[in-house]
Amino acid sequence: MKRKVKVLRIITRLNIGGPSLHVSILTRGLDPDQFESILVSGSVSNLEGDMGYVAEKLGIKPIFVPYLKREIHLSRDLKSLFLLIKILNQEDPDIVHTHTAKAGTLGRIAVFLHNLSRREKVLVVHTFHGHVLQGYFSWAKSKLFMWTERILAALCDVIIVISRSQMRELAQAYRIAPKHKFRIVKLGFDLKIFSGMDDLRGKFKTSLELPKNTFLIGIVGRLVSIKNHHMFLRAAAIFIETHPDVHAKFVVVGDGELREDLKIEAMKLGISDHVIFCGWKRDLPRVYADLDVLALTSINEGTPVSIIEAMASSVPVIATDAGGVRDLLGPESPQPSRHRFDVCRNGLLCHQNDAEGLADGIAFLLSEGHIRRKISVRARDFVWKNYTKDRLIKDIESLYTELLSDRLSIPCTEIQHPLPCTRPYSGLKVLQVYKDYYPPVIGGVEGHINLIANGLKHMGVEVEVLVSNTRARLEIDEVEGTPVTKVPQLGRFASAPLNPSFFKWIRKLGTGADIIHFHFPNPTGEISSLFSKLSSKSVVTYHSDIVRQARMAKLYAPMMREFLSRMDAIIATSPNYVKSSEILGEFRGKCRVIPFGVDLKRFEKTPEMDEEIAAIRRLYGPEIILFIGRFRYYKGLYVLLEAMKQTRGNLLLIGSGPMERELRAQVDVDNELRKRIFFLGELSDQALVAHLHACDLFVLPSILRSEAFGIVLLEAMACRKPLISTELGTGTSFVNQHKKTGLVIPPNSPSALSRAINQLLLDPQLKEKYGTAARARVEEYFSLNRMIEDLMEIYRAVLD
């Protein structure tokens, strides 16, 4: 019987808030075949709401340390320390993971003392959910806590932060630890409880005896100074005074030490009739179902749970710019704001202590219904993609696995890994170079580079990415733990970024890299590499010939050939492309084929998805044709729309792009097509996978060689869908094999396309046969693991 990894998780107390949910989910959610999880918790004070019921519902019985409390108390803290050391001796864990400030302090000291007498070291992980270095204490105390955290950081193997903003604060502003010691692991929650909001609407208002037409503006959280509820009340007073005709109530959900002070302040402001203090509510979905706006006024935050819950419930958010709030609300609108707040992608952002700005933002959301709905939809998709409990558990398990495979004497075969657990390339550094990166740019090449970066990191490789920015300023960021340098851009010409300083950054970052991995075509990067004159080994993935800018390609050809001649290896994505590309034909001796790969786990159909799939079938079925991609000239979408005049079923178009207006106009002039063709826009990752499972077949009607591979074909194959694609002489016909995984037809032929669609829709057995074969093919040839392993072989050969 294989040995389980024992994890001892310590939190100060299970009071109402994100950390308590977080530790409960992780304690119960880690794979029980690999991990044994134990939770240690202290006492909740009388002024705080107790969230122990969440752990209880999950069947968790924490080890209780009665002296462990939030407040500093020397004798109690010493007793807690001794008791934690005793628990460590009894449980003998492999990993101790501490959460929140007090537990982090005492827990890390306890492990340090425990390890003094041990040959085999217990590993230490600490999560900063927020921090007490700003807004909580005086300048002197804050300095003391900062130095304490620096000392404690030295006792950690890994420090987890929950947002990029928080990592920048702790690593750069406060210098708690060097950047390499941090890992970003976003929070994750069971968001399914916020999916059935329609059934709950009106119930919270009824319980408050309010009319249905009342606007509810809410704030959810502990009533403590750092949450700055005073600003919320002042904003309420301003709103009521400036909008006397609007029937609105301001709801305070939560409790804490400032409850009576806040009630007195509401009375002094003359708004007691408009403010409702609800105390803690366990049934938060019922609250969010009736909120029109959620406000957050904090001075300091990690990643606010109330914002995530509101977004998951499609409630628009306005918040102060504190901690990780900006990471949740996303980038600001490119248009300059005329208001005292900024309109961001997922909500509104206002300045701290600016009650007038908060009041203006609330009024804006209530009056601008179309903007409110647009923001709410984007925000909901964002959190459902990034903040689920399944993603959190997967990230933490991967982190533990990484630590254990390096530090514990546990055979790698005993631990299941998303990628091979051996890390034979630890110390190898690779620089990836392209125009853009995912996120934020959504595209096949950008997503591929992201997969490579994450896959290589699992193999122990240090990865850095160099791309162009979308604006004229330098940005150095970190995406999923990968450093990304975005060089200032003056604009784009024929799709190529104009970056005068790009060659300097290739030289600077490439000097320390063992391998520079370019992605072609990207004239900016290729020309810059010629000027940089680096001695590092170089490889290039040849994604596509230059098709649309063919005339300019002739002028660029001498430099392109010089660039390719200097490469130690050229990676093509299919044997078809090597054979059909005139350029690759000149360098065939350097070419190596590595097909794109996909993370098959991402496309597994889960029980939670069944209801969403059924809803899609009810809405658009019984015969659904699906396209996913950018609406670009070479995708052949106007051919697909023409073919739909002669086909059965409904067509769903997921995506957007420069041809969208033209395509919509093509549909609008035909009454029959308007009833059968649906533009769904950009969808969240979860919604996209659900639509792939719900459709009957997938079609990629591209007409030019710019469609070099068609990664989206792999995604449909992973969902067991039959394919229809066109013969372009590129990788699409390598992926989709005619009459095996689907049908391959001539490009630019509406009649051939309509015949292929009808053939599959009329023959369920043929659909099933092709779909089954598609899944088998993607498993055998196009898995993420295989792609990364093949890439590592090329790196090794180049270095040797």
Side-chain angles (χ1 to χ4, degrees):
M1 183 176 179
K2 68 182 182 182
R3 175 177 171 238
K4 292 184 181 181
V5 175
K6 183 179 282 191
V7 180
L8 191 71
R9 193 173 308 283
I10 308 174
I11 187 170
T12 307
R13 76 273 195 220
L14 293 173
N15 64 312
I16 288 181
S20 299
L21 286 170
H22 184 84
V23 299
S24 298
I25 288 169
L26 287 178
T27 303
R28 173 53 57 202
L30 294 183
D31 183 355
D33 293 330
Q34 296 186 62
F35 298 94
E36 178 186 353
S37 294
I38 299 169
L39 180 61
V40 177
S41 173
S43 303
V44 178
S45 73
N46 295 329
L47 293 174
E48 298 178 300
D50 192 338
M51 215 169 202
Y53 65 88
V54 174
E56 187 179 335
K57 282 184 179 178
L58 293 173
I60 301 168
K61 294 183 178 179
I63 297 176
F64 183 56
V65 179
Y67 313 111
L68 183 56
K69 296 177 182 287
R70 177 192 176 198
E71 299 78 13
I72 297 173
H73 190 285
L74 184 59
S75 63
R76 280 203 310 257
D77 292 343
L78 285 173
K79 290 178 182 177
S80 298
L81 178 63
F82 291 135
L83 191 48
L84 288 173
I85 294 172
K86 181 178 179 182
I87 293 169
L88 286 169
N89 290 329
Q90 291 173 342
E91 298 295 342
D92 192 23
D94 299 300
I95 296 173
V96 169
H97 190 157
T98 59
H99 302 258
T100 64
K102 174 64 78 67
T105 301
L106 297 179
R108 284 179 281 182
I109 294 172
V111 177
F112 171 74
L113 296 174
H114 176 74
N115 280 337
L116 291 176
S117 60
R118 287 174 56 89
R119 180 178 299 176
E120 192 173 69
K121 179 184 173 184
V122 174
L123 296 166
V124 182
V125 179
H126 177 67
T127 293
F128 277 94
H129 292 272
H131 62 73
V132 296
L133 305 177
Q134 175 190 348
Y136 283 86
F137 303 106
S138 65
W139 178 87
K141 280 189 176 180
S142 295
K143 281 289 184 183
L144 174 62
F145 288 132
M146 183 181 70
W147 281 103
T148 301
E149 286 293 353
R150 289 176 182 175
I151 295 168
L152 293 171
L155 306 180
C156 289
D157 295 282
V158 167
I159 300 171
I160 293 176
V161 289
I162 57 181
S163 70
R164 293 189 194 95
S165 300
Q166 190 183 47
M167 186 177 76
R168 284 194 291 267
E169 276 190 338
L170 294 173
Q172 297 173 15
Y174 298 112
R175 302 195 303 279
I176 298 302
K179 196 172 181 180
H180 68 80
K181 205 164 196 175
F182 289 92
R183 301 287 191 280
I184 299 174
V185 180
K186 297 175 184 175
L187 296 178
F189 302 99
D190 182 5
L191 300 179
K192 293 194 296 293
I193 61 173
F194 301 104
S195 60
M197 307 304 285
D198 288 341
D199 297 334
L200 298 175
R201 300 207 192 283
K203 293 185 177 181
F204 183 55
K205 287 182 182 178
T206 300
S207 70
L208 299 176
E209 299 181 351
L210 296 175
K212 291 183 178 179
N213 64 346
T214 304
F215 285 114
L216 280 190
I217 300 96
I219 185 168
V220 179
R222 293 179 295 132
L223 307 188
V224 291
S225 297
I226 202 70
K227 299 294 184 180
N228 200 10
H229 285 76
H230 298 287
M231 175 181 169
F232 179 74
L233 294 179
R234 292 196 303 274
I238 293 168
F239 180 90
I240 292 163
E241 182 180 356
T242 54
H243 299 83
D245 298 330
V246 178
H247 188 43
K249 295 289 185 181
F250 291 78
V251 182
V252 180
V253 179
D255 211 336
E257 60 203 43
L258 296 182
R259 177 180 54 201
E260 295 306 318
D261 290 346
L262 292 171
K263 285 185 175 180
I264 291 170
E265 181 170 1
M267 190 181 304
K268 290 180 178 178
L269 291 169
I271 58 172
S272 294
D273 292 340
H274 298 272
V275 179
I276 303 171
F277 289 86
C278 296
W280 289 117
K281 295 289 182 183
R282 289 194 180 186
D283 190 8
L284 281 174
R286 191 173 70 146
V287 175
Y288 289 118
D290 278 355
L291 287 186
D292 295 285
V293 176
L294 177 92
L296 183 132
T297 51
S298 298
I299 298 168
N300 187 8
E301 279 285 356
T303 297
V305 178
S306 63
I307 289 185
I308 294 173
E309 293 173 338
M311 287 179 169
S313 309
S314 298
V315 177
V317 171
I318 179 168
T320 49
D321 190 0
V325 170
R326 188 177 286 271
D327 296 313
L328 288 173
L329 297 191
E332 300 167 17
S333 169
Q335 287 78 28
S337 176
R338 294 170 299 185
H339 310 284
R340 301 183 62 153
F341 54 85
D342 293 317
V343 179
C344 301
R345 178 176 176 81
N346 301 323
L348 270 57
L349 201 65
C350 63
H351 298 293
Q352 291 188 13
N353 287 315
D354 184 3
E356 290 185 21
L358 178 60
D360 288 349
I362 291 169
F364 177 82
L365 287 171
L366 294 183
S367 61
E368 301 291 338
H370 67 290
I371 295 179
R372 182 174 72 242
R373 287 188 292 273
K374 189 175 182 179
I375 287 174
S376 298
V377 169
R378 287 197 303 242
R380 186 181 188 279
D381 287 346
F382 172 77
V383 296
W384 278 86
K385 179 179 180 179
N386 291 283
Y387 290 92
T388 63
K389 70 172 184 179
D390 292 338
R391 194 231 76 245
L392 168 66
I393 292 166
K394 180 181 176 182
D395 287 353
I396 292 295
E397 287 180 345
S398 295
L399 175 63
Y400 289 168
T401 296
E402 178 186 333
L403 285 171
L404 291 164
S405 61
D406 286 341
R407 305 295 294 277
L408 288 179
S409 56
I410 299 175
C412 286
T413 53
E414 292 191 5
I415 306 175
Q416 298 175 13
H417 297 264
L419 289 168
C421 64
T422 56
R423 296 166 63 82
Y425 300 96
S426 183
L428 177 65
K429 184 172 182 179
V430 176
L431 176 67
Q432 302 278 336
V433 181
Y434 189 54
K435 293 185 287 188
D436 303 295
Y437 190 62
Y438 169 83
V441 178
I442 298 173
V445 178
E446 292 82 4
H448 171 70
I449 299 171
N450 178 274
L451 279 178
I452 286 178
N454 289 321
L456 291 176
K457 284 187 294 184
H458 279 286
M459 298 290 283
V461 177
E462 183 181 348
V463 183
E464 196 160 357
V465 176
L466 175 64
V467 294
S468 299
N469 205 343
T470 55
R471 44 191 169 181
R473 74 180 188 189
L474 176 69
E475 290 184 9
I476 300 176
D477 205 349
E478 191 160 308
V479 179
E480 299 175 16
T482 300
V484 179
T485 300
K486 300 177 182 179
V487 180
Q489 173 187 280
L490 302 182
R492 297 208 174 191
F493 177 70
S495 299
L498 303 177
N499 312 100
S501 61
F502 205 89
F503 80 96
K504 294 181 179 179
W505 282 98
I506 282 188
R507 183 182 297 168
K508 180 177 181 178
L509 299 180
T511 300
D514 300 292
I515 291 177
I516 304 177
H517 188 156
F518 295 91
H519 294 266
F520 179 98
N522 176 24
T524 305
E526 293 139 22
I527 294 171
S528 298
S529 75
L530 297 178
F531 283 107
S532 64
K533 297 180 181 180
L534 286 169
S535 58
S536 305
K537 296 291 185 179
S538 299
V539 303
V540 60
T541 296
Y542 192 97
H543 291 273
S544 171
D545 293 331
I546 299 175
V547 179
R548 191 177 190 184
Q549 296 86 12
R551 290 184 180 179
M552 297 194 63
K554 292 180 181 179
L555 298 174
Y556 176 57
M559 282 186 284
M560 175 181 66
R561 287 181 167 85
E562 176 64 20
F563 167 77
L564 292 173
S565 69
R566 294 189 184 188
M567 293 296 103
D568 295 288
I570 299 173
I571 301 169
T573 55
S574 72
N576 301 42
Y577 217 88
V578 177
K579 293 176 184 177
S580 63
S581 170
E582 181 181 336
I583 298 299
L584 288 183
E586 299 178 28
F587 300 95
R588 191 163 294 183
K590 286 188 174 185
C591 290
R592 305 289 183 269
V593 174
I594 301 181
F596 287 130
V598 292
D599 183 358
L600 296 176
K601 289 183 179 180
R602 175 188 163 204
F603 298 97
E604 295 294 340
K605 185 169 70 170
T606 61
E608 294 81 7
M609 205 181 288
D610 288 339
E611 184 179 340
E612 189 171 357
I613 293 170
I616 295 168
R617 296 288 300 175
R618 286 193 300 271
L619 186 59
Y620 301 113
E623 296 174 326
I624 299 176
I625 306 143
L626 182 64
F627 167 87
I628 300 173
R630 293 286 289 165
F631 296 172
R632 295 190 181 277
Y633 68 100
Y634 63 85
K635 294 291 185 180
L637 286 170
Y638 64 90
V639 180
L640 176 57
L641 299 188
E642 188 66 27
M644 285 300 296
K645 295 177 181 179
Q646 307 297 324
T647 65
R648 305 161 59 91
N650 293 331
L651 171 64
L652 308 184
L653 299 170
I654 297 176
S656 61
M659 290 190 66
E660 183 170 354
R661 182 177 298 180
E662 180 183 336
L663 295 170
R664 285 182 179 272
Q666 186 178 344
V667 172
D668 287 342
V669 298
D670 190 309
N671 290 332
E672 183 60 31
L673 289 185
R674 279 207 306 268
K675 299 175 185 176
R676 299 172 48 232
I677 297 178
F678 303 90
F679 292 83
L680 304 186
E682 303 284 359
L683 298 184
S684 68
D685 196 61
Q686 178 176 310
L688 186 145
V689 174
H691 280 79
L692 278 169
H693 281 289
C695 75
D696 291 278
L697 62 92
F698 184 85
V699 59
L700 187 66
S702 304
I703 58 172
L704 294 173
R705 286 177 56 81
S706 300
E707 192 69 80
F709 190 88
I711 295 176
V712 70
L713 293 172
L714 301 182
E715 298 174 349
M717 293 167 77
C719 297
R720 293 180 167 81
K721 296 303 167 182
L723 310 173
I724 297 175
S725 60
T726 50
E727 181 55 74
L728 303 170
T730 66
T732 58
S733 302
F734 171 65
V735 175
N736 179 26
Q737 297 195 315
H738 185 51
K739 293 188 176 181
K740 291 183 180 179
T741 58
L743 300 174
V744 180
I745 62 171
N748 224 342
S749 175
S751 58
L753 184 53
S754 61
R755 285 195 300 272
I757 292 172
N758 286 333
Q759 180 183 352
L760 290 180
L761 291 179
L762 289 168
D763 193 338
Q765 290 183 336
L766 188 63
K767 278 195 310 179
E768 181 70 22
K769 175 184 173 182
Y770 289 167
T772 301
R775 174 70 189 194
R777 182 164 173 75
V778 78
E779 287 178 353
E780 184 174 0
Y781 295 105
F782 304 107
S783 72
L784 175 60
N785 284 10
R786 177 165 180 166
M787 179 181 74
I788 297 299
E789 289 166 1
D790 290 347
L791 182 59
M792 292 304 308
E793 285 298 312
I794 288 180
Y795 286 171
R796 184 172 64 182
V798 165
L799 290 170
D800 289 344

